[in-house]
Amino acid sequence: MTVLILTSEQDVTADMAVAELQERGVPVMRLDPADLPGKAVLSADYAHGDFDGHLSVNGHVLSMGGLRSVWVRRPGEPAAHAEHASPWLIAETRQALYGMLYSATPRWMNHPRNAEQARYKPWQLRVAHLSGFAVPPTVITTAPRLAQQFAEEYRDVVVKSASGPPPDDPALSLPTTLIGPDADFSAVAAGPALLQQYVPKRADIRLTCVGARLFGARKRAAPGQVDGRYGDTGYAWEATTVPERVAKSVHDYLTLSGLAYAAFDFAEDDEGLWWFLECNQGGQFGFVELETGQPIAEAVALWLAQRTTERRAPESRW
């Protein structure tokens, strides 16, 4: 039984899990959907009332009947590397690849259906409320007047992207920015703005979840720091205990979203309360493992290698 990892060739985080799987003698196939067709070959057969499918990568053939689990890590756009790539070829290749994988019965980390929904930050905020997290007051609006009213009510607010950096080359950095009620909100009319009450924090928290296992990491915040992702804070990530209340909310969030893997970001205030900021369904864990020594890659490998009689992808309960 083989583990299929859908990701790019330059994915160091995936390399860590692949090494753990190979150490345990678990067969692994690694595929970037961007290499299909070309470096990879696909065939799916729907006949005689049955289904069979195969993937071939570098001479390694994987039958869908031998597919144990799929880790959707950082896959490229199907057919993106094809000699004559086109929107039509991309759509056809996506239909062929994912349609074949959906026809099989692997365990998913994470199922693309659930992962796609989980990417929407407004949806994340609602599920975070339902899960019992502490969530800073937030507004997403294209109305300058409402943005102004929000800033006047909460005084110190941050503005940040809902979707993340745009896919430009070179990539743009979009740090979370602190603003006040005296800011000019007229540009809000040009596109949705996400405003959130500023949480003065003493630390950033990254909580990586692999199935039922939780790996907490804490990094002290520099004085006046707003976005710890940019610049050197002078502090390193350290392993930290996950409060019981947060652990329960994480369990509820994963159940509602149907995710097997997730990376949560929190802001820890001066009283030690963890404020929910976002949940990245495909977030990196390599930097956390390297700095804290927590065995996250091992946990991912063990989850992917697990044998189970229940092989249907979990449904989001949203």
Side-chain angles (χ1 to χ4, degrees):
M1 299 295 288
T2 299
V3 173
L4 175 63
I5 300 177
L6 300 179
T7 196
S8 64
E9 291 183 3
Q10 298 78 29
D11 186 351
V12 177
T13 297
D15 293 342
M16 298 168 66
V18 169
E20 293 285 347
L21 287 164
Q22 292 175 337
E23 187 175 307
R24 288 162 175 75
V26 179
V28 181
M29 174 179 280
R30 183 168 176 163
L31 168 67
D32 186 351
D35 293 333
L36 183 72
K39 294 181 181 179
V41 179
L42 173 153
S43 180
D45 183 5
Y46 300 84
H48 311 295
D50 204 354
F51 156 75
D52 193 14
H54 296 84
L55 276 173
S56 177
V57 181
N58 298 325
H60 178 193
V61 179
L62 168 61
S63 167
M64 292 299 99
L67 180 59
R68 182 195 302 261
S69 58
V70 182
W71 185 18
V72 186
R73 224 325 263 174
R74 290 286 175 92
E77 189 78 64
H81 296 163
E83 183 176 359
H84 301 291
S86 68
W88 179 85
L89 180 59
I90 288 172
E92 290 293 294
T93 306
R94 182 185 296 109
Q95 283 276 334
L97 175 61
Y98 288 103
M100 182 179 74
L101 294 177
Y102 292 172
S103 299
T105 55
R107 307 180 78 217
W108 288 88
M109 181 184 275
N110 291 301
H111 194 287
R113 176 187 61 242
N114 297 337
E116 178 62 25
Q117 180 175 250
R119 289 186 179 96
Y120 288 94
K121 191 166 292 184
W123 179 88
Q124 291 181 25
L125 294 169
R126 180 56 179 150
V127 178
H129 276 131
L130 294 173
S131 302
F133 286 115
V135 183
T138 307
V139 67
I140 301 172
T141 184
T142 58
R145 180 179 60 83
L146 293 180
Q148 178 77 53
Q149 289 177 350
F150 183 86
E152 289 175 351
E153 179 177 0
Y154 294 103
R155 307 306 296 173
D156 290 331
V157 301
V158 294
V159 58
K160 57 185 179 181
S161 168
S163 62
D168 292 348
D169 188 14
L172 296 177
S173 294
L174 295 176
T176 300
T177 304
L178 180 65
I179 60 174
D182 57 344
D184 180 4
F185 292 94
S186 60
V188 168
L194 190 157
L195 304 175
Q196 192 169 71
Q197 182 182 26
Y198 172 61
V199 177
K201 60 185 175 181
R202 65 184 185 186
D204 288 290
I205 302 291
R206 167 58 70 94
L207 177 56
T208 306
C209 310
V210 183
R213 299 185 65 180
L214 306 183
F215 301 92
R218 182 180 186 272
K219 182 171 69 171
R220 288 179 58 189
Q225 172 193 324
V226 177
D227 194 335
R229 296 172 300 173
Y230 302 94
D232 183 9
T233 66
Y235 301 104
W237 289 99
E238 299 177 341
T240 191
T241 302
V242 180
E244 184 176 339
R245 174 180 175 275
V246 173
K248 181 183 182 306
S249 293
V250 166
H251 173 77
D252 291 346
Y253 190 104
L254 296 181
T255 299
L256 287 169
S257 60
L259 298 179
Y261 174 91
F264 291 84
D265 288 324
F266 299 92
E268 180 188 293
D269 67 18
D270 288 336
E271 297 181 356
L273 181 63
W274 290 15
W275 291 86
F276 175 93
L277 299 180
E278 65 177 340
C279 175
N280 187 339
Q281 57 80 35
Q284 299 276 11
F285 64 77
F287 70 96
V288 176
E289 177 159 339
L290 291 173
E291 292 197 35
T292 68
Q294 297 179 98
I296 305 175
E298 177 188 65
V300 170
L302 290 173
W303 192 97
L304 293 170
Q306 180 180 339
R307 295 181 182 273
T308 177
T309 56
E310 175 55 62
R311 300 174 61 81
R312 183 172 56 87
E315 293 284 348
S316 167
R317 296 188 182 180
W318 175 255

